[in-house]
Amino acid sequence: MAEFISAEELLEASQRASEAGYRKMDAYSPFPIEGLSEAVGFYKSKLPLLVFCGGLFGCCGGFFLQWWPNVIGYPQNIGGKPWDSWPAFIPITFELTILCAALSATFGMIALNRLPSPYHPAFNVERFALASKDRFFLMIEAEDPMFDLERTRQFLNELNPREVSEVES
Amino acid sequence: MAGIEPDNVGTLVSPGSDVLGPGHSYGSVTDKISAIVLTRGTGNKYKVGFGVAVLLFIGLNMGITVLMAYGVGVWGINIPVGWGYAITNFVWWIGIGHAGTLISAFLLLMRQKWRTSINRFAEAMTLFAVACAGMFPLLHMGRPWLFYWLLPYPDTMGVWPQFRSPLVWDVFAVSTYATVSLLFWYVGLIPDLATLRDRATKKFKQVIYGVFALGWRGSARHWKNYEMAGLLLAGLATPLVVSVHTVVSFDFTIAVLPGWHSTIFPPYFVAGAIYSGFAMVIALAVPLRKYYGLEDFLTIRHLDNMGKIMLATGLIVAYSYVMETFMAFYSGNKFDIYMIMNRMTGPYAVIYWVLIAVNLVIPQLLWSARIRRNPLYLFLMSFSVQTGMWLERYMIIVTSLHRDFVPSSWGMFAPTRWDWIVFLGTIGFFFTLFYLFIRFLPMISIFEMRDLVHKTAEEARP
């Protein structure tokens, strides 16, 4: 794991590691950096699809929730209106669409990020606490096919980091 | 964190901009905001303010207890004025909440950088205002423990709620709004909770913040999903804000009563909500910035912008007042004309004219940049607007109900002491929650401030 002092250095280091052939790595920063996830090989978030499905479920479910009791389960004649006077169902349908989509956005984000995860090897590095303040880290995992403790350390040192440390798992 | 020496080798320092004071780095914004929670403790002013809020909150509990024991008769409501303070307060509180979501969602989509330092506490304000608002329809039911009758659940009688009723729409709208605001607020807090976890020195705090931070590490993959989630939530919350107050206005506008039955209500209510909401944000921002020395983060530019939004929404509200009057005469409907004349000259005329003064005339001072850029004037102005918006809801409810089509059914409404105790009690409840919030959670989004430092520094680079 290498520590950097600026966002630009981390971005460049990630790109160089990627060019050097490293695949299993991750970069840590105290705020989102544009293009960083692409540099470590993560291109597309599945979240929008998930949220769309959630919203669709809420929309159909919300409409059915009102349509069924009014037309089939417990029909009432109110002011001679047709039983399936659907415009009256729009507000609740809309609210439930938003509700289900928002729930899937939140829990989807948490699940896709594999949270909650109270333990992670990165936390074993003492200086990693600075990743939530003002430091930037690049970590190459031991599972990477190109990983070799000495050579990877040397490679990271070439990137001009502030410090390189070994992460115990 | 405990064992790590702070060093500032090669630290990026932002030259600042009109929304961020100069000379800040990632570290300095982090330290400054997290210190309020972790090391500053509470001063005497905090203690006095918190004490007053808690006293009012105790009053609320008393008011609710009396209400439960004796029923809604302890309030001033009667026939024909069945909706008194409770619904006035409900609409007022939920309106106040709207500015928070608007700042965090709409301004995010519009890529307004100045929202960064106000969005966190504005969102907290939303959440607490909705909590206060939600209480009123429940209490107003008289038998609040049966609130679940409004929910669609398979009861033994096979009876369903009336889905064509705006009051049932309200249940869905307000509960969705409360849930989505909570999710949005919590998602925004996760990276900052991780910051607090890493910065806390006491084991107990590390564990508590650690649990809520869910093990956040700020990995590039995390941020990617996270930003996507934030964007999607903002996209969902923006129409939600508009829909919630629209549905609240349907409570009135679906009725056939003169003074309620009006198509201008949805936009008029939404604009009014944002108007009072920004007034509340200003009322909170001005003292916060003074007592915690946050002038670098909550700059004059922020106050100026909020003043402009207040002016714009205030003008929409003013337009609605004019249109209401105009439409009554233009339609030639004698009940509508009577309603308007009754508002202006009837027994509640004082309310109407005070409303026009504090909600329509005084806010015109916001045209002046000197007023907008002076925290004290702006602070006073926000009280004028909040009083005005409360009176507006009171006027809509009471003057429309107390005289309808048939003179034999006319009546008057006067609040009782329990009306006042419950109303002031919710203000205490709101501030109790808010005081706890500024003590235990970062009131300004730390990671977004770091982002702002990065962006302002980048912009300043030749």
Side-chain angles (χ1 to χ4, degrees):
Chain A
M1 175 186 270
E3 178 186 334
F4 299 91
I5 51 175
S6 84
E8 288 73 24
E9 280 177 27
L10 175 65
L11 191 57
E12 203 198 319
S14 312
Q15 279 157 352
R16 279 183 54 188
S18 178
E19 279 160 18
Y22 288 104
R23 290 290 169 265
K24 296 236 169 201
M25 57 181 168
D26 210 341
Y28 300 92
S29 60
F31 57 87
I33 296 169
E34 217 176 311
L36 187 61
S37 71
E38 284 80 4
V40 297
F42 180 72
Y43 290 93
K44 226 171 156 188
S45 170
K46 287 196 198 87
L47 201 61
L49 182 70
L50 220 104
V51 172
F52 177 76
C53 295
L56 198 65
F57 170 78
C59 182
C60 300
F63 192 85
F64 182 75
L65 171 79
Q66 299 166 78
W67 179 85
W68 189 84
N70 274 288
V71 179
I72 303 193
Y74 195 77
Q76 286 170 303
N77 189 338
I78 293 166
K81 287 181 195 115
W83 287 337
D84 60 340
S85 52
W86 61 268
F89 303 156
I90 294 293
I92 295 183
T93 307
F94 175 78
E95 299 298 338
L96 287 177
T97 308
I98 300 277
L99 181 65
C100 292
L103 286 169
S104 21
T106 306
F107 292 104
M109 183 275 287
I110 290 173
L112 288 177
N113 281 342
R114 308 242 153 70
L115 297 173
S117 66
Y119 175 77
H120 189 272
F123 291 126
N124 290 336
V125 177
E126 204 184 2
R127 291 188 67 84
F128 186 69
L130 293 174
S132 66
K133 186 182 176 189
D134 58 358
R135 287 304 149 88
F136 304 80
F137 294 85
L138 177 67
M139 185 166 79
I140 295 180
E141 289 170 21
E143 284 161 28
D144 194 284
M146 289 223 347
F147 187 84
D148 175 274
L149 192 58
E150 273 318 300
R151 262 193 292 162
T152 304
R153 179 186 281 275
Q154 206 181 349
F155 170 75
L156 287 175
N157 270 321
E158 282 166 18
L159 297 172
N160 194 22
R162 201 192 121 73
E163 203 170 306
V164 174
S165 40
E166 195 178 322
V167 182
E168 287 166 33
S169 61
Chain B
M1 179 65 194
I4 300 166
E5 288 294 309
D7 55 8
N8 295 317
V9 186
T11 303
L12 176 137
V13 177
S14 162
S17 68
D18 54 355
V19 290
L20 177 73
H24 278 289
S25 63
Y26 306 136
S28 76
V29 293
T30 308
D31 287 341
K32 183 146 193 187
I33 302 170
S34 60
I36 294 171
V37 176
L38 293 173
T39 55
R40 257 187 82 150
T42 51
N44 282 334
K45 279 174 183 148
Y46 179 98
K47 282 173 188 148
V48 170
F50 187 57
V52 172
V54 170
L55 272 180
L56 286 172
F57 178 44
I58 293 170
L60 174 68
N61 288 301
M62 211 165 78
I64 293 175
T65 312
V66 169
L67 184 79
M68 298 281 178
Y70 297 102
V72 285
V74 297
W75 287 349
I77 50 174
N78 54 40
I79 300 300
V81 187
W83 284 15
Y85 266 32
I87 307 301
T88 306
N89 297 338
F90 163 66
V91 182
W92 186 68
W93 271 121
I94 203 149
I96 282 176
H98 280 47
T101 325
L102 202 89
I103 290 169
S104 51
F106 183 67
L107 296 184
L108 176 78
L109 294 180
M110 294 289 126
R111 297 179 185 274
Q112 294 292 311
K113 270 191 297 208
W114 64 276
R115 64 175 265 290
T116 304
S117 35
I118 49 175
N119 79 348
R120 171 68 49 71
F121 73 85
E123 259 174 62
M125 173 195 85
T126 296
L127 208 56
F128 305 151
V130 173
C132 290
M135 231 181 276
F136 283 107
L138 295 179
L139 296 176
H140 189 254
M141 286 193 303
R143 289 190 287 170
W145 50 92
L146 298 177
F147 75 96
Y148 62 89
W149 285 11
L150 285 161
L151 302 174
Y153 70 103
D155 69 321
T156 48
M157 313 260 278
V159 181
W160 291 81
Q162 176 50 271
F163 290 117
R164 294 186 184 96
S165 158
L167 296 178
V168 174
W169 302 348
D170 242 6
V171 174
F172 282 87
V174 175
S175 55
T176 297
Y177 188 47
T179 315
V180 173
S181 303
L182 181 68
L183 293 176
F184 205 15
W185 186 64
Y186 177 63
V187 166
L189 269 169
I190 293 174
D192 286 358
L193 288 167
T195 298
L196 292 178
R197 171 198 65 200
D198 294 341
R199 234 115 307 250
T201 44
K202 292 203 180 84
K203 188 84 196 155
F204 174 70
K205 282 186 188 169
Q206 286 174 346
V207 170
I208 296 285
Y209 287 125
V211 166
F212 286 103
L214 305 175
W216 179 265
R217 298 185 296 280
S219 120
R221 290 152 213 268
H222 283 184
W223 282 123
K224 177 95 174 169
N225 284 323
Y226 182 85
E227 284 208 297
M228 188 52 88
L231 207 61
L232 288 166
L233 280 172
L236 292 164
T238 303
L240 182 67
V241 172
V242 177
S243 86
V244 171
H245 228 64
T246 300
V247 168
V248 169
S249 82
F250 285 164
D251 290 345
F252 300 95
T253 197
I254 300 289
V256 291
L257 206 65
W260 283 9
H261 187 60
S262 162
T263 46
I264 204 170
F265 265 37
Y268 161 34
F269 268 49
V270 173
I274 296 161
Y275 191 32
S276 61
F278 270 95
M280 190 60 136
V281 177
I282 288 171
L284 296 171
V286 171
L288 279 181
R289 137 185 218 279
K290 187 156 167 39
Y291 291 123
Y292 289 101
L294 297 171
E295 281 89 351
D296 279 356
F297 302 156
L298 291 164
T299 61
I300 294 294
R301 175 74 197 281
H302 287 105
L303 299 177
D304 190 29
N305 279 358
M306 288 194 277
K308 282 179 189 163
I309 293 184
M310 248 165 69
L311 179 61
T313 47
L315 288 173
I316 301 176
V317 171
Y319 169 82
S320 306
Y321 294 162
V322 173
M323 266 306 121
E324 247 190 338
T325 313
F326 172 76
M327 284 313 291
F329 289 98
Y330 186 65
S331 70
N333 181 315
K334 65 181 174 186
F335 297 106
D336 276 348
I337 294 172
Y338 177 74
M339 183 275 300
I340 288 287
M341 292 313 289
N342 182 41
R343 271 185 193 173
M344 290 177 179
T345 60
Y348 294 105
V350 175
I351 303 266
Y352 183 82
W353 293 110
V354 173
L355 160 68
I356 295 293
V358 298
N359 216 22
L360 204 154
V361 179
I362 295 179
Q364 299 311 317
L365 291 172
L366 288 168
W367 286 101
S368 149
R370 261 188 57 213
I371 303 265
R372 286 200 310 268
R373 292 173 160 269
N374 183 318
L376 179 67
Y377 290 154
L378 209 53
F379 185 65
L380 296 175
M381 182 81 65
S382 75
F383 280 97
S384 163
V385 170
Q386 278 169 40
T387 316
M389 287 310 294
W390 190 88
L391 290 174
E392 179 199 302
R393 274 72 194 248
Y394 183 82
M395 175 199 77
I396 289 172
I397 289 167
V398 175
T399 61
S400 301
L401 281 172
H402 94 121
R403 288 184 182 174
D404 60 1
F405 303 96
V406 195
S408 64
S409 67
W410 288 1
M412 291 293 286
F413 170 82
T416 65
R417 81 182 83 153
W418 297 109
D419 276 311
W420 283 110
I421 287 171
V422 172
F423 172 46
L424 296 175
T426 49
I427 294 179
F429 179 53
F430 176 86
F431 280 102
T432 306
L433 291 172
F434 201 81
Y435 270 106
L436 290 173
F437 160 72
I438 56 176
R439 178 68 189 82
F440 292 109
L441 290 168
M443 68 176 109
I444 294 175
S445 174
I446 308 175
F447 83 92
E448 282 180 300
M449 287 309 282
R450 287 191 288 249
D451 197 26
L452 192 64
V453 168
H454 185 228
K455 286 202 177 115
T456 47
E458 227 172 33
E459 267 169 24
R461 201 168 294 157

